[in-house]
Amino acid sequence: MTAIIVTGATGGLGPAVIGRLAERGDRLLLTGRDKDRLAELAGEFGAETVTADVSDPEGAREVADAALAAFGRIDGMVHLVGGFRAGPYFLMDAAAYEGMLRDNFLSAVTATQALLPHLTDGGRLVYFSTPLADEPMPALSAYAASKAALVAWVRSIAHELKRGGVHANVVSMTMADTPRKRRERPDLNTDHMVAPELVARAVAFLTSAESDGLYGSVVPVLGRFEFTSELSGRPPQ
């Protein structure tokens, strides 16, 4: 059975992704900073857990060590850690940019560096980005820039890691359609959100032998999300 670390497991995508992998029979180590929520997920899915911050190198090493202790091996990671912040550029100070880079980019770097020495038989690494990394929108400069950095980094390391049989790929997605998000943003058009279950299917694919030909790929799972413009006219009915 495959042994996978799921970072940021307590976020909105966690239950769908964890459930899909657990159903497949994977052995899972879940990590995040919310100890109580991790306990709930462990009870629901029968997974191992570690309360840690993988954006800190020491925390990331603690997670890798715990996975080795529990399973004797590590076969991959699904990196769900991330953050979001919006605001006009002139109101975003350097700390806001540093925070987005830490959450969306550097956390992936530290988590990957901690487990990479243990992927001796190859492995699968999955990260998450957004179409805004390619087409940024106003008031989202810090978020878009941090995700663009992540994608460039994954595409680069994929060339290095594939020599050792490690696949590093990205899922590009829009806002997840979760109960919490619906409560927070009742004004949004939910047709443009993406169902977490669809994202989980892509994760299952990217952590399986079915994705053997993919290295540094960006897989779009966008649901019905689309960019619109007054120049495009009315959409077809």
Side-chain angles (χ1 to χ4, degrees):
M1 291 186 288
T2 303
I4 295 179
I5 296 170
V6 181
T7 67
T10 59
L13 285 177
V17 170
I18 296 164
R20 187 81 177 190
L21 299 181
E23 182 181 1
R24 189 172 66 183
D26 292 350
R27 295 176 293 176
L28 303 175
L29 185 136
L30 315 180
T31 185
R33 293 179 293 185
D34 187 337
K35 184 177 181 179
D36 293 338
R37 180 59 179 146
L38 283 174
E40 293 174 359
L41 292 169
E44 183 175 358
F45 298 107
E48 301 289 331
T49 65
V50 175
T51 305
D53 180 359
V54 295
S55 66
D56 175 73
E58 184 175 344
R61 288 191 293 269
E62 179 184 353
V63 170
D65 290 344
L68 286 173
F71 310 131
R73 59 183 293 158
I74 301 173
D75 298 302
M77 175 180 70
V78 179
H79 188 66
L80 294 176
V81 173
F84 178 80
R85 184 167 179 178
Y89 165 70
F90 63 88
L91 294 180
M92 302 283 278
D93 59 14
Y97 284 86
E98 290 173 355
M100 284 291 90
L101 285 170
R102 181 183 63 252
D103 292 345
N104 293 325
F105 171 44
L106 294 177
S107 66
V109 174
T110 55
T112 303
Q113 287 177 333
L115 68 87
L116 197 58
H118 308 296
L119 299 181
T120 54
D121 296 324
R124 313 276 168 169
L125 305 174
V126 182
Y127 308 89
F128 292 83
S129 186
T130 167
L132 300 177
D134 297 312
E135 290 292 341
M137 297 175 70
L140 293 170
S141 58
Y143 177 70
S146 65
K147 289 295 190 178
L150 174 70
V151 172
W153 174 75
V154 173
R155 293 179 65 191
S156 178
I157 67 168
H159 291 296
E160 301 177 47
L161 301 183
K162 62 186 176 184
R163 300 188 184 101
V166 176
H167 299 252
N169 294 291
V170 177
V171 173
S172 178
M173 58 174 289
T174 184
M175 186 180 294
D177 185 2
T178 64
R180 177 179 176 180
K181 190 57 65 177
R182 288 195 177 213
R183 289 193 303 270
E184 292 175 345
R185 297 294 304 275
D187 58 308
L188 293 180
N189 181 355
T190 56
D191 285 345
H192 283 216
M193 295 181 179
V194 64
E197 292 74 16
L198 297 179
V199 178
R201 292 182 199 175
V203 172
F205 167 70
L206 291 173
T207 53
S208 75
E210 298 298 319
S211 63
D212 274 353
L214 301 186
Y215 300 90
S217 297
V218 179
V219 179
V221 185
L222 304 178
R224 296 183 178 180
F225 172 82
E226 60 186 2
F227 289 102
T228 60
S229 168
E230 294 296 329
L231 298 178
S232 64
R234 294 174 60 86
Q237 301 298 316

